Amino acid sequence: MLPLALNTVLPQSMQAKYQVGIGALPIGLMFAWFLPLFTIAEWLESVAGIPPNSPIKDHPNGIACIVGFLPVMVALMQTS
């Protein structure tokens, strides 16, 4: 049996509404994590003492904020 990604017969036999749902669900869940990510980014910004709407690279704690934010972003995207 072919893996699902390589099966060319399955999409032809599925109804269109299921095909859209199977494609939209993972992408929708991935974009749904933006709200928690922005909340975590604002929290890291306040903890690091970075003023709002200022470049992170100009702040002394900016690199630590980026190093803290990127693993959280990757971890949250892996859970969806």
Side-chain angles (χ1 to χ4, degrees):
M1 182 172 185
L2 286 172
L4 186 60
L6 299 176
N7 194 344
T8 58
V9 178
L10 184 63
Q12 295 171 358
S13 64
M14 290 178 64
Q15 295 179 359
K17 62 181 178 180
Y18 295 121
Q19 289 178 348
V20 171
I22 289 173
L25 186 63
I27 294 171
L29 289 174
M30 185 176 68
F31 283 113
W33 279 107
F34 280 130
L35 182 63
L37 284 176
F38 289 143
T39 306
I40 291 169
E42 289 176 2
W43 176 77
L44 280 173
E45 183 180 75
S46 66
V47 168
I50 299 172
N53 298 326
S54 66
I56 291 179
K57 65 181 181 178
D58 293 342
H59 196 272
N61 294 332
I63 299 297
C65 187
I66 292 172
V67 168
F69 177 71
L70 289 177
V72 169
M73 182 177 66
V74 170
L76 286 175
M77 289 181 70
Q78 294 296 323
T79 60
S80 64

